[in-house]
Structures are given as structure tokens and as C-alpha cells.
Amino acid sequence: SEYIICIKATICGFTPELLHIHAGEIFQNGAVFADLTALLTGGGTTDGCVETTKEFYTMLVNDPDKFYLNAHVAPTPDSLFFQGIRGQLLQSFTSQLDAEASVAPFLGVHGSSGVSSIRFEAGGSIVCFDATIVGFDPEVAHLAYGVTGTNGNVVYDFSSLKVAPGRFFGCLSIEELGTTLAEVCEILADGYVYYFDFHQSDIPDSIYFFNTIRGQLPEVIPLSDII
């Protein structure tokens, strides 16, 4: 089997000559694990894929936050420092929210839209959320279990992260979410069976949640296929 990693990046302010993925956590330097220099297209942009080893691919999927992308100019023999920019890799899923994706007895509000993401840090022990909803102001923010066209049980409740009308942002530990690393691994392996659900507070004596918007997580390659 072939193991492929793909990258799309834009670097502003200078034009890099080298592009690598290094092993190393935040504020740490480490060895080069993948040379992506051939993907540089000029002007600080890159968009393409390279083949890598099964071992590195597995490490990257399991612990992306232990690697970083480093773009820099070529060092010179008489220079101790050289220009560069770096960014830590993170495991995340982004979903487009759509009121029309709501499933009865939930009702989506016409004209609403949004985007929501979930990101796992510190080896999966920290879960971060970032959501913006336009067209209504939900009070409840959930990640739930269920494929497209079905409703399911709530997995994570991140309603406490509301920072403004239609805006949820921040991070919670797995202890605060009442979850485990095993459950985090299940999401990483089968993200497409989970979805974001935002709605107003429960209405007493009603079977409906009005002003609802939903977005399915994208499908990822199961870890069982690469380990």
C-alpha cells in the first residue's frame, strides 16, 4: 500500500526555499521526517501530495501535535540563523453547518448557516471547539453520534464555551467533557458518524427543537487501515 500525505499552505512575507515536516512539540526543534520542498510552487504557496512511509504516516495520524511544519530559506555556511516560519500540526475536523441537514423532529431555521470545528490537542486530552453561526443565536452546542440523515445521542456538550451571540470558542479537558481517550480515538477513526448540533434551549412540553442547525464531520481514513 502507498501512504500519502497532502498539504496546502500559503506563506506570506517571504518566499521559502525549503519546506519540511519535523518531529517536535511546541517550542522544540526536531529532526526532519518529511521533505515537502518539491511541492513549493513559488510565491510561498504549496498544494500537493508526497509519498511517505507507513511508520511516519501512522505516527502523524496518531500524534499530529508532536510534529510541525517548517518553511525557511536555505542556510548559508557562515550563518547561524536563517529566516523561517513554523506551525504546529493539529488533528481537527471542520464542518459546514446547514439548517436543511436537520432531521425530524428537529427543525432547521431557514436562512441560517455556519461553520464549526473540533480540534484535539495534547495527545487527545484537550478538545477545542470553534463555531460561528449566522442567522440565529443558539444556546446549546453539541457533538452527537449519528450518520447523515439520523439523530443520535449527545457525545460532547460544549454549550459552556459560548462567548458571543452565535459564537462558541474554547477548549475543555476530557475530564470536563466526561469522556475518555478511547472515545477520542473513536472520533479520530470514524469522524463521519458524528455531527455538530446547535439549537435553542429545550422547549417545555414540546417534542421539537426549533432554530436548529447541523453539520456532519468529514470522513477520515480509519486508523485500522494504516497501523
Side-chain angles (χ1 to χ4, degrees), residues 178-222:
T179 188
T180 64
L181 285 175
E183 191 166 60
V184 168
C185 290
E186 290 178 4
I187 296 173
L188 292 175
D190 294 304
Y192 70 98
V193 300
Y194 297 85
Y195 64 94
F196 289 110
D197 181 45
F198 299 87
H199 56 79
Q200 67 186 63
S201 299
D202 296 4
I203 303 174
D205 303 320
S206 173
I207 63 172
Y208 291 98
F209 292 120
F210 294 94
N211 294 342
T212 301
I213 193 167
R214 165 181 175 149
Q216 205 74 24
L217 267 62
E219 186 169 2
V220 297
I221 301 173

Side-chain angles (χ1 to χ4, degrees), residues 34-52:
D35 187 345
L36 309 177
T37 302
L39 299 181
L40 288 170
T41 56
T45 63
T46 181
D47 187 358
C49 303
V50 296
E51 187 174 353
T52 188

Side-chain angles (χ1 to χ4, degrees), residues 37-69:
T37 302
L39 299 181
L40 288 170
T41 56
T45 63
T46 181
D47 187 358
C49 303
V50 296
E51 187 174 353
T52 188
T53 64
K54 177 181 179 180
E55 290 72 23
F56 173 59
Y57 192 91
T58 302
M59 289 190 293
L60 192 62
V61 172
N62 277 300
D63 292 299
D65 56 346
K66 289 183 171 58
F67 297 88
Y68 63 93
L69 187 67

Side-chain angles (χ1 to χ4, degrees), residues 140-165:
V140 179
H142 290 155
L143 182 75
Y145 181 85
V147 297
T148 301
T150 67
N151 293 319
N153 294 327
V154 174
V155 177
Y156 296 153
D157 184 341
F158 57 102
S159 307
S160 63
L161 298 180
K162 185 172 183 177
V163 295

